[in-house]
Structure formats: C-alpha cells, structure tokens
Amino acid sequence: MRSVFGAHDAGAEYAAYVQERQLTAQGIATRERIVRAATSAIAERGVAAMSLDQVLTVAGASKGQLYHYFTDRDDLVRAAVAATGANVLEVQAELMAELADWDAIERWFDCLVELQVTLDARGGCPLASLTGALADRDEPSRRLLIESFDAWEARLATGLASMRASGQLRADCDTARLATSTMAAVQGGLVLTQVRRDPAQLRIALDAALVHLRLHAAD
C-alpha cells in the first residue's frame, strides 16, 4: 500500500494511491482535511506536540477514518512532510519560474525577506524545522525532505542555467554548485532570522549570496 508521498512526484504517487485504495471524492476530501490539520498543527507546535485528537477535531474526522487513510502516526507525519514541501514550492512557484535574469533573482530575494517581515521573523523555514525534528529519527521522512529540498534547489539551478545559456553567467560556471551555495545562504539566513527575530539577518545572507553569484557573471 502506498502511504508516503514525495513532494517532487506527489501527484503521481497520490493518483496511484487513490486508484489502489479506490477512494471516493468524499474519502479524498476527508484525507486531505486530516493532512491539512496535521500540517498546521506541526507548523504551530512541532512534530512531538502534535495531538492526533486535536488533528481529528480540527479535521472533523474520526479515529476510524484516520487509520483508514494512514497506517499510524508516523505515516500521517510523513504525509504532512510531503504537504509542507509542496506548500513551500507552491508559495514560490511564480517567482522561481521567472529566474532568468539578475532582476528576477533580486525580486525572489526581496520576497523572501518581505515574507519574514510579514511573519514577524517567526517560524523559519518549515522544511528546516521538520529536518531538525525528523531527519535523524525517521528515514522515510528524511527522504521526503531530500526530495523537497532537491526540487526547490533544482528550480534555482534551472534559472541559473538559463542565465548561463543567455550569456549572463560565465559559460564555465557550475550552476548546480551555485544553486547549492545559494540555498545554503537562504537556509542560514532563515535560521538567524528566526532565532534573532530579525529579517535583516536574511537580507545580509542574501546580499552575500548575490555578491557570490555576481562573481560568476559574464564579462
């Protein structure tokens, strides 16, 4: 039975799951309500503090329904991990689809900082929070997180490759390595922003990332 969906190929995996379990439209809606409630609870209180009873109350579902769609608590957590990854990518989808020039890179960076201002520098990166809680204790969750980070980084690498192809970056630059270093700046900046409650920490990290990227600009 498929019960763990990766963020990168969540659509195909979920379609196979639906076909295998022969879920009705109502069943699909119930499962999605449970996942949304679990995802929200984890974002607010963390994995360890997530209460199944509270999740079911918010979702308007029964324990019977919970264990119909999920093998156990860990299975639900993994579904929430996949949903979180999909949400992180969706929020940035439009901006990251346009990463084809320097202005687009700066707009993406600006939006990341503006989001932290809006959130009052709370919450950090949802994927990073899950990584700290799950990567060393649950291998399936770690693999789901890898898929989410890889998909995020791949979108950046695609944009940088487009810039290289259009002559904005040097022909010999390694866009995959640049994407990884930029993602490291994003994540490090988000951690410092969260702990210091200061979006300027992310701005500093992203300014440094931009300087590094421009070192590879074509002459």
PDB file of all heavy atoms in Angstrom, residues 174-214:
ATOM      1  N   ASP A 174      29.501  26.456 -12.691  1.00  0.00           N
ATOM      2  CA  ASP A 174      28.759  25.261 -12.294  1.00  0.00           C
ATOM      3  C   ASP A 174      27.452  25.718 -11.633  1.00  0.00           C
ATOM      4  O   ASP A 174      27.440  26.091 -10.455  1.00  0.00           O
ATOM      5  CB  ASP A 174      29.606  24.433 -11.324  1.00  0.00           C
ATOM      6  CG  ASP A 174      28.979  23.090 -10.981  1.00  0.00           C
ATOM      7  OD1 ASP A 174      27.735  22.985 -11.034  1.00  0.00           O
ATOM      8  OD2 ASP A 174      29.724  22.157 -10.652  1.00  0.00           O
ATOM      9  N   THR A 175      26.380  25.701 -12.391  1.00  0.00           N
ATOM     10  CA  THR A 175      25.111  26.228 -11.872  1.00  0.00           C
ATOM     11  C   THR A 175      24.546  25.371 -10.736  1.00  0.00           C
ATOM     12  O   THR A 175      23.852  25.889  -9.852  1.00  0.00           O
ATOM     13  CB  THR A 175      24.069  26.349 -12.996  1.00  0.00           C
ATOM     14  OG1 THR A 175      23.933  25.099 -13.668  1.00  0.00           O
ATOM     15  CG2 THR A 175      24.499  27.415 -13.999  1.00  0.00           C
ATOM     16  N   ALA A 176      24.836  24.090 -10.737  1.00  0.00           N
ATOM     17  CA  ALA A 176      24.360  23.230  -9.643  1.00  0.00           C
ATOM     18  C   ALA A 176      25.029  23.629  -8.329  1.00  0.00           C
ATOM     19  O   ALA A 176      24.375  23.719  -7.279  1.00  0.00           O
ATOM     20  CB  ALA A 176      24.634  21.771  -9.960  1.00  0.00           C
ATOM     21  N   ARG A 177      26.339  23.876  -8.364  1.00  0.00           N
ATOM     22  CA  ARG A 177      27.052  24.301  -7.157  1.00  0.00           C
ATOM     23  C   ARG A 177      26.590  25.690  -6.711  1.00  0.00           C
ATOM     24  O   ARG A 177      26.441  25.948  -5.509  1.00  0.00           O
ATOM     25  CB  ARG A 177      28.564  24.299  -7.401  1.00  0.00           C
ATOM     26  CG  ARG A 177      29.174  22.916  -7.501  1.00  0.00           C
ATOM     27  CD  ARG A 177      30.666  22.998  -7.796  1.00  0.00           C
ATOM     28  NE  ARG A 177      31.391  23.617  -6.697  1.00  0.00           N
ATOM     29  CZ  ARG A 177      31.872  22.972  -5.635  1.00  0.00           C
ATOM     30  NH1 ARG A 177      31.687  21.666  -5.529  1.00  0.00           N
ATOM     31  NH2 ARG A 177      32.537  23.604  -4.687  1.00  0.00           N
ATOM     32  N   LEU A 178      26.343  26.570  -7.660  1.00  0.00           N
ATOM     33  CA  LEU A 178      25.844  27.899  -7.317  1.00  0.00           C
ATOM     34  C   LEU A 178      24.461  27.808  -6.657  1.00  0.00           C
ATOM     35  O   LEU A 178      24.161  28.547  -5.714  1.00  0.00           O
ATOM     36  CB  LEU A 178      25.769  28.778  -8.560  1.00  0.00           C
ATOM     37  CG  LEU A 178      27.086  29.338  -9.099  1.00  0.00           C
ATOM     38  CD1 LEU A 178      26.835  30.130 -10.372  1.00  0.00           C
ATOM     39  CD2 LEU A 178      27.766  30.214  -8.061  1.00  0.00           C
ATOM     40  N   ALA A 179      23.637  26.904  -7.162  1.00  0.00           N
ATOM     41  CA  ALA A 179      22.314  26.725  -6.567  1.00  0.00           C
ATOM     42  C   ALA A 179      22.435  26.226  -5.131  1.00  0.00           C
ATOM     43  O   ALA A 179      21.723  26.695  -4.230  1.00  0.00           O
ATOM     44  CB  ALA A 179      21.482  25.759  -7.406  1.00  0.00           C
ATOM     45  N   THR A 180      23.347  25.284  -4.894  1.00  0.00           N
ATOM     46  CA  THR A 180      23.531  24.757  -3.546  1.00  0.00           C
ATOM     47  C   THR A 180      24.042  25.831  -2.591  1.00  0.00           C
ATOM     48  O   THR A 180      23.549  25.969  -1.462  1.00  0.00           O
ATOM     49  CB  THR A 180      24.512  23.571  -3.555  1.00  0.00           C
ATOM     50  OG1 THR A 180      23.957  22.510  -4.331  1.00  0.00           O
ATOM     51  CG2 THR A 180      24.768  23.061  -2.142  1.00  0.00           C
ATOM     52  N   SER A 181      25.010  26.617  -3.029  1.00  0.00           N
ATOM     53  CA  SER A 181      25.543  27.662  -2.156  1.00  0.00           C
ATOM     54  C   SER A 181      24.484  28.725  -1.863  1.00  0.00           C
ATOM     55  O   SER A 181      24.411  29.255  -0.744  1.00  0.00           O
ATOM     56  CB  SER A 181      26.787  28.297  -2.782  1.00  0.00           C
ATOM     57  OG  SER A 181      26.472  29.019  -3.959  1.00  0.00           O
ATOM     58  N   THR A 182      23.648  29.021  -2.849  1.00  0.00           N
ATOM     59  CA  THR A 182      22.585  30.000  -2.637  1.00  0.00           C
ATOM     60  C   THR A 182      21.545  29.471  -1.662  1.00  0.00           C
ATOM     61  O   THR A 182      21.065  30.189  -0.770  1.00  0.00           O
ATOM     62  CB  THR A 182      21.915  30.369  -3.971  1.00  0.00           C
ATOM     63  OG1 THR A 182      22.906  30.857  -4.881  1.00  0.00           O
ATOM     64  CG2 THR A 182      20.846  31.431  -3.779  1.00  0.00           C
ATOM     65  N   MET A 183      21.193  28.201  -1.810  1.00  0.00           N
ATOM     66  CA  MET A 183      20.243  27.600  -0.880  1.00  0.00           C
ATOM     67  C   MET A 183      20.803  27.580   0.538  1.00  0.00           C
ATOM     68  O   MET A 183      20.065  27.772   1.516  1.00  0.00           O
ATOM     69  CB  MET A 183      19.901  26.181  -1.327  1.00  0.00           C
ATOM     70  CG  MET A 183      18.916  26.110  -2.480  1.00  0.00           C
ATOM     71  SD  MET A 183      17.274  26.735  -2.009  1.00  0.00           S
ATOM     72  CE  MET A 183      16.856  25.575  -0.714  1.00  0.00           C
ATOM     73  N   ALA A 184      22.105  27.363   0.659  1.00  0.00           N
ATOM     74  CA  ALA A 184      22.731  27.385   1.985  1.00  0.00           C
ATOM     75  C   ALA A 184      22.601  28.767   2.607  1.00  0.00           C
ATOM     76  O   ALA A 184      22.346  28.910   3.816  1.00  0.00           O
ATOM     77  CB  ALA A 184      24.201  26.984   1.885  1.00  0.00           C
ATOM     78  N   ALA A 185      22.745  29.807   1.796  1.00  0.00           N
ATOM     79  CA  ALA A 185      22.582  31.171   2.290  1.00  0.00           C
ATOM     80  C   ALA A 185      21.139  31.422   2.726  1.00  0.00           C
ATOM     81  O   ALA A 185      20.893  32.050   3.771  1.00  0.00           O
ATOM     82  CB  ALA A 185      22.998  32.170   1.211  1.00  0.00           C
ATOM     83  N   VAL A 186      20.198  30.956   1.927  1.00  0.00           N
ATOM     84  CA  VAL A 186      18.780  31.102   2.282  1.00  0.00           C
ATOM     85  C   VAL A 186      18.496  30.440   3.628  1.00  0.00           C
ATOM     86  O   VAL A 186      17.908  31.047   4.536  1.00  0.00           O
ATOM     87  CB  VAL A 186      17.877  30.507   1.187  1.00  0.00           C
ATOM     88  CG1 VAL A 186      16.424  30.445   1.664  1.00  0.00           C
ATOM     89  CG2 VAL A 186      17.974  31.316  -0.101  1.00  0.00           C
ATOM     90  N   GLN A 187      18.932  29.197   3.767  1.00  0.00           N
ATOM     91  CA  GLN A 187      18.639  28.448   4.993  1.00  0.00           C
ATOM     92  C   GLN A 187      19.344  29.043   6.202  1.00  0.00           C
ATOM     93  O   GLN A 187      18.750  29.175   7.277  1.00  0.00           O
ATOM     94  CB  GLN A 187      19.019  26.977   4.807  1.00  0.00           C
ATOM     95  CG  GLN A 187      18.133  26.229   3.819  1.00  0.00           C
ATOM     96  CD  GLN A 187      16.672  26.264   4.217  1.00  0.00           C
ATOM     97  OE1 GLN A 187      16.323  26.049   5.382  1.00  0.00           O
ATOM     98  NE2 GLN A 187      15.805  26.545   3.270  1.00  0.00           N
ATOM     99  N   GLY A 188      20.624  29.400   6.037  1.00  0.00           N
ATOM    100  CA  GLY A 188      21.338  30.004   7.152  1.00  0.00           C
ATOM    101  C   GLY A 188      20.728  31.338   7.559  1.00  0.00           C
ATOM    102  O   GLY A 188      20.581  31.633   8.758  1.00  0.00           O
ATOM    103  N   GLY A 189      20.343  32.129   6.571  1.00  0.00           N
ATOM    104  CA  GLY A 189      19.711  33.410   6.869  1.00  0.00           C
ATOM    105  C   GLY A 189      18.386  33.241   7.580  1.00  0.00           C
ATOM    106  O   GLY A 189      18.048  34.019   8.487  1.00  0.00           O
ATOM    107  N   LEU A 190      17.623  32.222   7.198  1.00  0.00           N
ATOM    108  CA  LEU A 190      16.333  31.981   7.850  1.00  0.00           C
ATOM    109  C   LEU A 190      16.511  31.534   9.299  1.00  0.00           C
ATOM    110  O   LEU A 190      15.738  31.926  10.178  1.00  0.00           O
ATOM    111  CB  LEU A 190      15.543  30.930   7.065  1.00  0.00           C
ATOM    112  CG  LEU A 190      14.927  31.413   5.754  1.00  0.00           C
ATOM    113  CD1 LEU A 190      14.365  30.242   4.953  1.00  0.00           C
ATOM    114  CD2 LEU A 190      13.831  32.454   6.015  1.00  0.00           C
ATOM    115  N   VAL A 191      17.528  30.716   9.553  1.00  0.00           N
ATOM    116  CA  VAL A 191      17.785  30.281  10.932  1.00  0.00           C
ATOM    117  C   VAL A 191      18.126  31.480  11.815  1.00  0.00           C
ATOM    118  O   VAL A 191      17.571  31.650  12.911  1.00  0.00           O
ATOM    119  CB  VAL A 191      18.927  29.244  10.975  1.00  0.00           C
ATOM    120  CG1 VAL A 191      19.390  29.018  12.416  1.00  0.00           C
ATOM    121  CG2 VAL A 191      18.473  27.921  10.373  1.00  0.00           C
ATOM    122  N   LEU A 192      19.045  32.342  11.357  1.00  0.00           N
ATOM    123  CA  LEU A 192      19.432  33.507  12.148  1.00  0.00           C
ATOM    124  C   LEU A 192      18.276  34.489  12.294  1.00  0.00           C
ATOM    125  O   LEU A 192      18.097  35.119  13.349  1.00  0.00           O
ATOM    126  CB  LEU A 192      20.637  34.191  11.511  1.00  0.00           C
ATOM    127  CG  LEU A 192      21.937  33.382  11.530  1.00  0.00           C
ATOM    128  CD1 LEU A 192      23.047  34.144  10.834  1.00  0.00           C
ATOM    129  CD2 LEU A 192      22.341  33.026  12.959  1.00  0.00           C
ATOM    130  N   THR A 193      17.474  34.616  11.245  1.00  0.00           N
ATOM    131  CA  THR A 193      16.296  35.480  11.318  1.00  0.00           C
ATOM    132  C   THR A 193      15.330  34.985  12.383  1.00  0.00           C
ATOM    133  O   THR A 193      14.801  35.770  13.180  1.00  0.00           O
ATOM    134  CB  THR A 193      15.593  35.534   9.951  1.00  0.00           C
ATOM    135  OG1 THR A 193      16.399  36.289   9.047  1.00  0.00           O
ATOM    136  CG2 THR A 193      14.231  36.200  10.041  1.00  0.00           C
ATOM    137  N   GLN A 194      15.106  33.684  12.405  1.00  0.00           N
ATOM    138  CA  GLN A 194      14.169  33.113  13.372  1.00  0.00           C
ATOM    139  C   GLN A 194      14.668  33.277  14.802  1.00  0.00           C
ATOM    140  O   GLN A 194      13.920  33.709  15.684  1.00  0.00           O
ATOM    141  CB  GLN A 194      13.947  31.624  13.069  1.00  0.00           C
ATOM    142  CG  GLN A 194      12.962  30.954  14.018  1.00  0.00           C
ATOM    143  CD  GLN A 194      12.783  29.478  13.714  1.00  0.00           C
ATOM    144  OE1 GLN A 194      13.569  28.894  12.973  1.00  0.00           O
ATOM    145  NE2 GLN A 194      11.766  28.869  14.280  1.00  0.00           N
ATOM    146  N   VAL A 195      15.907  32.946  15.053  1.00  0.00           N
ATOM    147  CA  VAL A 195      16.400  32.964  16.431  1.00  0.00           C
ATOM    148  C   VAL A 195      16.607  34.390  16.935  1.00  0.00           C
ATOM    149  O   VAL A 195      16.419  34.670  18.128  1.00  0.00           O
ATOM    150  CB  VAL A 195      17.704  32.135  16.563  1.00  0.00           C
ATOM    151  CG1 VAL A 195      18.895  32.839  15.930  1.00  0.00           C
ATOM    152  CG2 VAL A 195      17.988  31.802  18.027  1.00  0.00           C
ATOM    153  N   ARG A 196      16.953  35.317  16.021  1.00  0.00           N
ATOM    154  CA  ARG A 196      17.176  36.706  16.428  1.00  0.00           C
ATOM    155  C   ARG A 196      15.949  37.587  16.222  1.00  0.00           C
ATOM    156  O   ARG A 196      15.977  38.769  16.569  1.00  0.00           O
ATOM    157  CB  ARG A 196      18.369  37.281  15.663  1.00  0.00           C
ATOM    158  CG  ARG A 196      19.690  36.670  16.095  1.00  0.00           C
ATOM    159  CD  ARG A 196      20.857  37.149  15.250  1.00  0.00           C
ATOM    160  NE  ARG A 196      22.116  36.658  15.806  1.00  0.00           N
ATOM    161  CZ  ARG A 196      23.274  36.629  15.144  1.00  0.00           C
ATOM    162  NH1 ARG A 196      23.333  37.076  13.885  1.00  0.00           N
ATOM    163  NH2 ARG A 196      24.367  36.175  15.724  1.00  0.00           N
ATOM    164  N   ARG A 197      14.893  37.015  15.663  1.00  0.00           N
ATOM    165  CA  ARG A 197      13.671  37.775  15.353  1.00  0.00           C
ATOM    166  C   ARG A 197      14.018  39.031  14.553  1.00  0.00           C
ATOM    167  O   ARG A 197      13.537  40.131  14.841  1.00  0.00           O
ATOM    168  CB  ARG A 197      12.938  38.152  16.643  1.00  0.00           C
ATOM    169  CG  ARG A 197      12.361  36.995  17.410  1.00  0.00           C
ATOM    170  CD  ARG A 197      11.124  36.434  16.730  1.00  0.00           C
ATOM    171  NE  ARG A 197      10.479  35.453  17.576  1.00  0.00           N
ATOM    172  CZ  ARG A 197      10.680  34.128  17.485  1.00  0.00           C
ATOM    173  NH1 ARG A 197      11.503  33.657  16.559  1.00  0.00           N
ATOM    174  NH2 ARG A 197      10.076  33.301  18.300  1.00  0.00           N
ATOM    175  N   ASP A 198      14.834  38.836  13.507  1.00  0.00           N
ATOM    176  CA  ASP A 198      15.346  39.978  12.757  1.00  0.00           C
ATOM    177  C   ASP A 198      15.492  39.627  11.279  1.00  0.00           C
ATOM    178  O   ASP A 198      16.449  38.961  10.886  1.00  0.00           O
ATOM    179  CB  ASP A 198      16.704  40.388  13.334  1.00  0.00           C
ATOM    180  CG  ASP A 198      17.322  41.563  12.594  1.00  0.00           C
ATOM    181  OD1 ASP A 198      16.604  42.238  11.819  1.00  0.00           O
ATOM    182  OD2 ASP A 198      18.528  41.812  12.797  1.00  0.00           O
ATOM    183  N   PRO A 199      14.547  40.065  10.427  1.00  0.00           N
ATOM    184  CA  PRO A 199      14.625  39.775   8.993  1.00  0.00           C
ATOM    185  C   PRO A 199      15.893  40.306   8.327  1.00  0.00           C
ATOM    186  O   PRO A 199      16.267  39.843   7.243  1.00  0.00           O
ATOM    187  CB  PRO A 199      13.378  40.461   8.425  1.00  0.00           C
ATOM    188  CG  PRO A 199      12.430  40.538   9.566  1.00  0.00           C
ATOM    189  CD  PRO A 199      13.299  40.778  10.758  1.00  0.00           C
ATOM    190  N   ALA A 200      16.567  41.265   8.980  1.00  0.00           N
ATOM    191  CA  ALA A 200      17.806  41.787   8.411  1.00  0.00           C
ATOM    192  C   ALA A 200      18.869  40.699   8.308  1.00  0.00           C
ATOM    193  O   ALA A 200      19.773  40.779   7.463  1.00  0.00           O
ATOM    194  CB  ALA A 200      18.334  42.949   9.254  1.00  0.00           C
ATOM    195  N   GLN A 201      18.761  39.661   9.141  1.00  0.00           N
ATOM    196  CA  GLN A 201      19.719  38.560   9.082  1.00  0.00           C
ATOM    197  C   GLN A 201      19.619  37.833   7.741  1.00  0.00           C
ATOM    198  O   GLN A 201      20.635  37.485   7.129  1.00  0.00           O
ATOM    199  CB  GLN A 201      19.474  37.580  10.228  1.00  0.00           C
ATOM    200  CG  GLN A 201      19.533  38.190  11.605  1.00  0.00           C
ATOM    201  CD  GLN A 201      20.902  38.755  11.922  1.00  0.00           C
ATOM    202  OE1 GLN A 201      21.905  38.038  11.913  1.00  0.00           O
ATOM    203  NE2 GLN A 201      20.949  40.052  12.191  1.00  0.00           N
ATOM    204  N   LEU A 202      18.406  37.634   7.273  1.00  0.00           N
ATOM    205  CA  LEU A 202      18.221  37.004   5.970  1.00  0.00           C
ATOM    206  C   LEU A 202      18.701  37.929   4.863  1.00  0.00           C
ATOM    207  O   LEU A 202      19.332  37.481   3.898  1.00  0.00           O
ATOM    208  CB  LEU A 202      16.750  36.640   5.755  1.00  0.00           C
ATOM    209  CG  LEU A 202      16.398  35.989   4.412  1.00  0.00           C
ATOM    210  CD1 LEU A 202      17.190  34.703   4.188  1.00  0.00           C
ATOM    211  CD2 LEU A 202      14.901  35.716   4.319  1.00  0.00           C
ATOM    212  N   ARG A 203      18.432  39.221   4.993  1.00  0.00           N
ATOM    213  CA  ARG A 203      18.895  40.174   3.984  1.00  0.00           C
ATOM    214  C   ARG A 203      20.416  40.143   3.864  1.00  0.00           C
ATOM    215  O   ARG A 203      20.964  40.145   2.755  1.00  0.00           O
ATOM    216  CB  ARG A 203      18.410  41.578   4.356  1.00  0.00           C
ATOM    217  CG  ARG A 203      19.018  42.706   3.536  1.00  0.00           C
ATOM    218  CD  ARG A 203      18.801  42.494   2.044  1.00  0.00           C
ATOM    219  NE  ARG A 203      17.404  42.623   1.683  1.00  0.00           N
ATOM    220  CZ  ARG A 203      16.906  42.254   0.502  1.00  0.00           C
ATOM    221  NH1 ARG A 203      17.689  41.708  -0.420  1.00  0.00           N
ATOM    222  NH2 ARG A 203      15.626  42.404   0.246  1.00  0.00           N
ATOM    223  N   ILE A 204      21.117  40.101   4.986  1.00  0.00           N
ATOM    224  CA  ILE A 204      22.578  40.046   4.964  1.00  0.00           C
ATOM    225  C   ILE A 204      23.049  38.785   4.242  1.00  0.00           C
ATOM    226  O   ILE A 204      23.961  38.835   3.397  1.00  0.00           O
ATOM    227  CB  ILE A 204      23.142  40.092   6.395  1.00  0.00           C
ATOM    228  CG1 ILE A 204      22.891  41.472   7.019  1.00  0.00           C
ATOM    229  CG2 ILE A 204      24.639  39.764   6.409  1.00  0.00           C
ATOM    230  CD1 ILE A 204      23.149  41.520   8.511  1.00  0.00           C
ATOM    231  N   ALA A 205      22.436  37.659   4.561  1.00  0.00           N
ATOM    232  CA  ALA A 205      22.830  36.392   3.937  1.00  0.00           C
ATOM    233  C   ALA A 205      22.568  36.416   2.434  1.00  0.00           C
ATOM    234  O   ALA A 205      23.391  35.933   1.635  1.00  0.00           O
ATOM    235  CB  ALA A 205      22.076  35.229   4.588  1.00  0.00           C
ATOM    236  N   LEU A 206      21.436  36.983   2.029  1.00  0.00           N
ATOM    237  CA  LEU A 206      21.097  37.003   0.608  1.00  0.00           C
ATOM    238  C   LEU A 206      21.940  38.022  -0.156  1.00  0.00           C
ATOM    239  O   LEU A 206      22.261  37.813  -1.330  1.00  0.00           O
ATOM    240  CB  LEU A 206      19.605  37.291   0.431  1.00  0.00           C
ATOM    241  CG  LEU A 206      18.677  36.210   0.989  1.00  0.00           C
ATOM    242  CD1 LEU A 206      17.217  36.573   0.737  1.00  0.00           C
ATOM    243  CD2 LEU A 206      18.992  34.844   0.401  1.00  0.00           C
ATOM    244  N   ASP A 207      22.297  39.120   0.500  1.00  0.00           N
ATOM    245  CA  ASP A 207      23.202  40.071  -0.143  1.00  0.00           C
ATOM    246  C   ASP A 207      24.546  39.405  -0.431  1.00  0.00           C
ATOM    247  O   ASP A 207      25.146  39.600  -1.500  1.00  0.00           O
ATOM    248  CB  ASP A 207      23.414  41.300   0.750  1.00  0.00           C
ATOM    249  CG  ASP A 207      22.219  42.249   0.738  1.00  0.00           C
ATOM    250  OD1 ASP A 207      21.323  42.070  -0.124  1.00  0.00           O
ATOM    251  OD2 ASP A 207      22.178  43.153   1.591  1.00  0.00           O
ATOM    252  N   ALA A 208      25.018  38.612   0.528  1.00  0.00           N
ATOM    253  CA  ALA A 208      26.276  37.887   0.328  1.00  0.00           C
ATOM    254  C   ALA A 208      26.139  36.863  -0.791  1.00  0.00           C
ATOM    255  O   ALA A 208      27.054  36.675  -1.603  1.00  0.00           O
ATOM    256  CB  ALA A 208      26.702  37.203   1.631  1.00  0.00           C
ATOM    257  N   ALA A 209      24.973  36.196  -0.857  1.00  0.00           N
ATOM    258  CA  ALA A 209      24.735  35.227  -1.925  1.00  0.00           C
ATOM    259  C   ALA A 209      24.750  35.903  -3.286  1.00  0.00           C
ATOM    260  O   ALA A 209      25.286  35.358  -4.268  1.00  0.00           O
ATOM    261  CB  ALA A 209      23.410  34.509  -1.696  1.00  0.00           C
ATOM    262  N   LEU A 210      24.161  37.095  -3.354  1.00  0.00           N
ATOM    263  CA  LEU A 210      24.134  37.825  -4.626  1.00  0.00           C
ATOM    264  C   LEU A 210      25.543  38.233  -5.046  1.00  0.00           C
ATOM    265  O   LEU A 210      25.890  38.140  -6.239  1.00  0.00           O
ATOM    266  CB  LEU A 210      23.239  39.049  -4.503  1.00  0.00           C
ATOM    267  CG  LEU A 210      23.001  39.842  -5.800  1.00  0.00           C
ATOM    268  CD1 LEU A 210      22.348  38.967  -6.865  1.00  0.00           C
ATOM    269  CD2 LEU A 210      22.135  41.068  -5.516  1.00  0.00           C
ATOM    270  N   VAL A 211      26.352  38.669  -4.108  1.00  0.00           N
ATOM    271  CA  VAL A 211      27.737  39.007  -4.421  1.00  0.00           C
ATOM    272  C   VAL A 211      28.457  37.788  -4.973  1.00  0.00           C
ATOM    273  O   VAL A 211      29.186  37.871  -5.977  1.00  0.00           O
ATOM    274  CB  VAL A 211      28.467  39.534  -3.156  1.00  0.00           C
ATOM    275  CG1 VAL A 211      29.971  39.625  -3.417  1.00  0.00           C
ATOM    276  CG2 VAL A 211      27.915  40.895  -2.760  1.00  0.00           C
ATOM    277  N   HIS A 212      28.224  36.636  -4.342  1.00  0.00           N
ATOM    278  CA  HIS A 212      28.872  35.402  -4.810  1.00  0.00           C
ATOM    279  C   HIS A 212      28.397  35.041  -6.227  1.00  0.00           C
ATOM    280  O   HIS A 212      29.202  34.659  -7.077  1.00  0.00           O
ATOM    281  CB  HIS A 212      28.575  34.264  -3.842  1.00  0.00           C
ATOM    282  CG  HIS A 212      29.187  32.966  -4.231  1.00  0.00           C
ATOM    283  ND1 HIS A 212      30.554  32.751  -4.256  1.00  0.00           N
ATOM    284  CD2 HIS A 212      28.628  31.797  -4.650  1.00  0.00           C
ATOM    285  CE1 HIS A 212      30.812  31.521  -4.649  1.00  0.00           C
ATOM    286  NE2 HIS A 212      29.662  30.926  -4.901  1.00  0.00           N
ATOM    287  N   LEU A 213      27.119  35.168  -6.462  1.00  0.00           N
ATOM    288  CA  LEU A 213      26.590  34.861  -7.786  1.00  0.00           C
ATOM    289  C   LEU A 213      27.194  35.791  -8.839  1.00  0.00           C
ATOM    290  O   LEU A 213      27.579  35.358  -9.927  1.00  0.00           O
ATOM    291  CB  LEU A 213      25.064  34.990  -7.799  1.00  0.00           C
ATOM    292  CG  LEU A 213      24.262  33.888  -7.092  1.00  0.00           C
ATOM    293  CD1 LEU A 213      22.792  34.281  -6.985  1.00  0.00           C
ATOM    294  CD2 LEU A 213      24.407  32.567  -7.835  1.00  0.00           C
ATOM    295  N   ARG A 214      27.315  37.062  -8.502  1.00  0.00           N
ATOM    296  CA  ARG A 214      27.816  38.025  -9.487  1.00  0.00           C
ATOM    297  C   ARG A 214      29.305  37.829  -9.783  1.00  0.00           C
ATOM    298  O   ARG A 214      29.791  38.313 -10.811  1.00  0.00           O
ATOM    299  CB  ARG A 214      27.528  39.453  -9.011  1.00  0.00           C
ATOM    300  CG  ARG A 214      26.048  39.829  -9.161  1.00  0.00           C
ATOM    301  CD  ARG A 214      25.836  41.319  -9.019  1.00  0.00           C
ATOM    302  NE  ARG A 214      24.441  41.718  -9.220  1.00  0.00           N
ATOM    303  CZ  ARG A 214      23.897  41.946 -10.409  1.00  0.00           C
ATOM    304  NH1 ARG A 214      24.617  41.796 -11.519  1.00  0.00           N
ATOM    305  NH2 ARG A 214      22.627  42.324 -10.506  1.00  0.00           N
TER     306      ARG A 214
END
